[in-house]
Amino acid sequence: MIQYQLRQVLPERKVDPSAALALLCSSAAAIVVWKWLVKRQIQKKMEKARRTQNEGLKKMAKAVQQFREQVPSVQTDAILSLPLLELAGRLQEGSLSPKTVLYTYLEKALEVTQQTNCLQHFIPECEEQLQEIQQQREKGLLYGIPISIKDHIGHKGHLSTCGLVQRLGTVVQEDSVLVKVLKRQGAIPFAMTNVPQSLFNYDCSNPVFGQTLNPFNHQKSPGGSSGGEGALIAGGGSILGIGSDIGGSIRLPSSFCGLCGLKPTAERLSLSGASGPVSGILAVPCALGPMARDVDSLALCMKALLCQEMFQLDPTVPPIPFNEEVYSSSAPLRVGYYDTDGYFPLPPCMRRAVRETRDALQAAGHQPVSPIPNRRYLGFLKKGIQLLWHDPLLLSCLSTGDIVDPNLKSQVNCCKIPRLGKKLLALILKPLSLAHTLKKLRRSRHGHGLHVISSLLPKVYRTEFIAQWRKLQLDVVLCPVLGPAFTIGYPGKLLTAISSTMLYNVLNFPAGVVPVSTVTEADEEELKLYQGCCDDPWDQMLKQAVAGAVGLPVAVQCVALPWQEELCLRFMKEVETLSREKRAA
């Protein structure tokens, strides 16, 4: 009836097939042209960013050359070899000038980034900060110390890209709280370091600024997402850096590059002014923290940051100053330990490092205690990793005008598989022991599941974990960290390998990494026998990722209860001292 009435009102028109075809073709052509224009616009943005980067490097190289001509007698190697505490002391007493130290590190940073591509850009305003600190009445704890900062930690007048093209046009209007406090303490931020695209990877590559290399082996990754910091500090181009950690992003580069790195309790240092690619990861809090060549450097940095200035600038930060008494204590520690989390078995050298460190601690008068595994442990790790790599969060930051980096493609492609497709693949691949990974990916599409994880699971498990900790009367925990350095391209294929670090992000415990050894020929031979959980393709891939690592750093992870960063650092210092004594023997 309705169709009849419409025909009476509207005249019938005969559709011309050729006109319809022409319309269809023109629409398709318009879409192709539009996509080409968008891609071309992205390419122009990337080219402009690279030109700006290259121009900045050339300007800084010219400034360094002018300084060298004015002061040709600078003992570069002597300055670069000074530990942070000694360098800070020399600057405080005036036997070294801040300008000499700054330009010495600028020159070295230029050399390191030419080899590893670790910098996004220098901070030209470092010269202004140099002049400003020399006019201050009181010298801060970091007076004259050049410091590098990760890309997404805001510095006024500079980009904060997170490795994303869509952020190239946005300039930060105000220093982050952390940068303000560093400047107040006399530090000189001089460089912004490279990161992986979206920060959701523990390699260090993005389409704009390219791949960062490990300074010890250019076939290996420096880790991520604070990989630029790791490469720069390990290469000698910075003495102190600030990174961030949401799944191991300070600890993994520290492990891969042989550095010390601390992930504090998330709220211990201000996050104000540090941007992220997405918001909404409620149960996995981000933490900012220091990276350096030794533990004393981390302690000095934390002592400088935990000051009244930070507490006033960001009232959400608990006003807890650094407890020097705890850090300086020499009382014996009761140390819980484990060499595998039972979820993703690590290479033999990393487990060896835990056992050797445990033995050294026991010989030094500490009391190692083997914790009893919690029944809910494996399930918690699986759900925690599911939460961290939640599909919509990863895809949302790449959905608006971004070319996906090759190192992120396998990760993004997994996220794009429809829910039904994941179910079918899980069924087909079940005999190959791959179903658990696909099951994880399939479940991550459920918004309700995300809410349950974010609001209930971490709190429940944190309570259980602390209860077990108290029952065993532990002071600290010694455990493995992922390593040694992966071959470039593998981190994006082995996301679940971060279980050893991710656990303490979800629990929100302070955790640090200390290098204690290097990969030996015996480790490499033992790796050939490694079978992991069930010798499946993931285990085989891990063997490929870490193969050829003889001589590269091997580290352990040190953990304390929330808000006990000083105790965590004190434990790290003990581990560092014992490992150095062993190497010197």
Side-chain angles (χ1 to χ4, degrees), residues 39-55 165 168 207-209 403:
K39 188 174 182 180
R40 181 60 186 152
Q41 187 178 19
I42 291 173
Q43 291 290 349
K44 284 184 177 180
K45 284 184 178 181
M46 292 166 60
E47 290 167 4
K48 182 181 178 181
R50 291 172 191 147
R51 282 198 304 271
T52 302
Q53 180 192 40
N54 290 331
E55 289 168 3
V165 175
L168 286 176
V208 184
F209 301 106
I403 297 173

Side-chain angles (χ1 to χ4, degrees), residues 361-550:
L361 287 165
Q362 188 169 24
H366 302 285
Q367 185 180 0
V369 179
S370 180
I372 302 170
N374 191 297
R375 294 178 183 177
R376 294 161 59 86
Y377 190 82
L378 291 179
F380 176 76
L381 280 174
K382 291 176 183 177
K383 290 184 181 294
I385 292 173
Q386 170 190 335
L387 174 68
L388 183 60
W389 303 111
H390 184 60
D391 299 6
L393 293 179
L394 176 60
L395 293 177
S396 66
C397 66
L398 298 171
S399 61
T400 54
D402 255 290
I403 297 173
V404 178
D405 187 81
N407 288 333
L408 203 62
K409 276 189 176 178
S410 59
Q411 194 171 325
V412 172
N413 289 340
C414 280
C415 293
K416 286 182 176 179
I417 299 174
R419 181 181 167 193
L420 179 60
K422 289 174 183 176
K423 284 184 176 181
L424 292 173
L425 282 171
L427 183 65
I428 295 169
L429 297 174
K430 188 175 182 179
L432 299 178
S433 302
L434 298 175
H436 70 281
T437 300
L438 290 160
K439 190 176 181 182
K440 165 181 70 73
L441 289 170
R442 185 185 76 221
R443 285 179 177 172
S444 65
R445 290 285 185 185
H446 291 285
H448 176 69
L450 176 65
H451 173 74
V452 171
I453 295 168
S454 62
S455 61
L456 296 178
L457 184 61
K459 292 181 180 179
V460 171
Y461 190 74
R462 188 181 297 121
T463 300
E464 293 181 6
F465 200 96
I466 292 174
Q468 186 183 18
W469 187 298
R470 296 296 193 197
K471 182 179 179 181
L472 294 170
Q473 299 180 324
L474 303 179
D475 294 310
V476 289
V477 163
L478 172 72
C479 55
V481 61
L482 182 62
F486 278 26
T487 299
I488 289 170
Y490 278 91
K493 302 173 185 177
L494 287 165
L495 303 181
T496 53
I498 65 166
S499 60
S500 59
T501 50
M502 183 278 303
L503 171 66
Y504 296 105
N505 290 92
V506 181
L507 289 174
N508 199 14
F509 283 21
V513 162
V514 183
V516 296
S517 181
T518 56
V519 180
T520 65
E521 293 285 357
D523 291 327
E524 199 78 3
E525 287 299 314
E526 192 174 353
L527 178 65
K528 295 176 182 178
L529 304 176
Y530 170 88
Q531 293 186 337
C533 281
C534 45
D535 203 24
D536 64 13
W538 304 127
D539 295 322
Q540 293 299 319
M541 194 178 295
L542 179 69
K543 289 173 68 172
Q544 297 167 15
V546 300
V550 173

Side-chain angles (χ1 to χ4, degrees), residues 64 148 185 238 291 297 324 330 333 343 443 466 493 525:
V64 168
S148 50
Q185 289 285 10
S238 177
M291 300 169 65
S297 300
E324 183 66 38
S330 58
L333 296 170
Y343 180 70
R443 285 179 177 172
I466 292 174
K493 302 173 185 177
E525 287 299 314

Side-chain angles (χ1 to χ4, degrees), residues 124-426:
E125 295 87 348
C126 63
E127 182 67 36
E128 297 174 13
Q129 174 65 4
L130 176 64
Q131 301 300 324
E132 189 170 328
I133 65 168
Q134 291 174 332
Q135 296 172 5
Q136 291 176 354
R137 292 183 180 180
E138 296 183 6
K139 295 179 179 179
L141 291 175
L142 298 175
Y143 174 76
I145 300 296
I147 188 166
S148 50
I149 54 179
K150 188 176 179 178
D151 159 90
H152 74 116
I153 300 171
H155 190 291
K156 184 179 179 180
H158 292 271
L159 297 174
S160 180
T161 69
C162 299
L164 298 169
V165 175
Q166 58 188 276
R167 287 175 173 261
L168 286 176
T170 306
V171 176
V172 176
Q173 300 300 313
E174 184 181 5
D175 284 339
S176 61
V177 167
L178 206 70
V179 169
K180 288 179 180 178
V181 176
L182 287 169
K183 289 181 176 180
R184 178 69 175 175
Q185 289 285 10
I188 306 175
F190 74 99
M192 307 284 287
T193 52
N194 202 25
V195 294
Q197 186 179 32
S198 78
L199 308 183
F200 280 101
N201 197 341
Y202 60 98
D203 204 333
C204 190
S205 175
N206 63 74
V208 184
F209 301 106
Q211 173 75 53
T212 299
L213 309 176
N214 190 306
F216 299 124
N217 183 333
H218 290 179
Q219 303 303 313
K220 297 290 185 177
S221 168
S225 60
S226 307
E229 284 297 326
L232 180 63
I233 299 169
S238 177
I239 196 168
L240 180 64
I242 303 295
S244 63
D245 195 310
I246 197 173
S249 295
I250 286 173
R251 290 161 290 161
L252 295 175
S254 297
S255 172
F256 285 18
C257 295
L259 301 174
C260 296
L262 174 69
K263 179 207 80 69
T265 309
E267 298 83 6
R268 190 76 194 265
L269 297 178
S270 174
L271 287 164
S272 179
S275 61
V278 293
S279 58
I281 309 180
L282 303 176
V284 189
C286 178
L288 303 185
M291 300 169 65
R293 297 197 293 255
D294 56 57
V295 178
D296 279 338
S297 300
L298 306 181
L300 178 62
C301 184
M302 290 296 291
K303 186 176 180 179
L305 290 172
L306 295 172
C307 63
Q308 199 60 36
E309 182 83 6
M310 175 170 285
F311 305 146
Q312 289 176 350
L313 288 170
D314 188 351
T316 66
V317 175
I320 309 172
F322 189 83
N323 191 328
E324 183 66 38
E325 184 179 351
V326 172
Y327 179 62
S328 303
S329 172
S330 58
L333 296 170
R334 188 171 168 86
V335 182
Y337 71 91
Y338 58 90
D339 65 2
T340 179
D341 60 21
Y343 180 70
F344 201 105
L346 298 181
C349 61
M350 309 311 289
R351 301 179 71 173
R352 168 181 64 80
V354 172
R355 294 192 295 269
E356 290 179 352
T357 303
R358 173 204 62 193
D359 294 343
L361 287 165
Q362 188 169 24
H366 302 285
Q367 185 180 0
V369 179
S370 180
I372 302 170
N374 191 297
R375 294 178 183 177
R376 294 161 59 86
Y377 190 82
L378 291 179
F380 176 76
L381 280 174
K382 291 176 183 177
K383 290 184 181 294
I385 292 173
Q386 170 190 335
L387 174 68
L388 183 60
W389 303 111
H390 184 60
D391 299 6
L393 293 179
L394 176 60
L395 293 177
S396 66
C397 66
L398 298 171
S399 61
T400 54
D402 255 290
I403 297 173
V404 178
D405 187 81
N407 288 333
L408 203 62
K409 276 189 176 178
S410 59
Q411 194 171 325
V412 172
N413 289 340
C414 280
C415 293
K416 286 182 176 179
I417 299 174
R419 181 181 167 193
L420 179 60
K422 289 174 183 176
K423 284 184 176 181
L424 292 173
L425 282 171

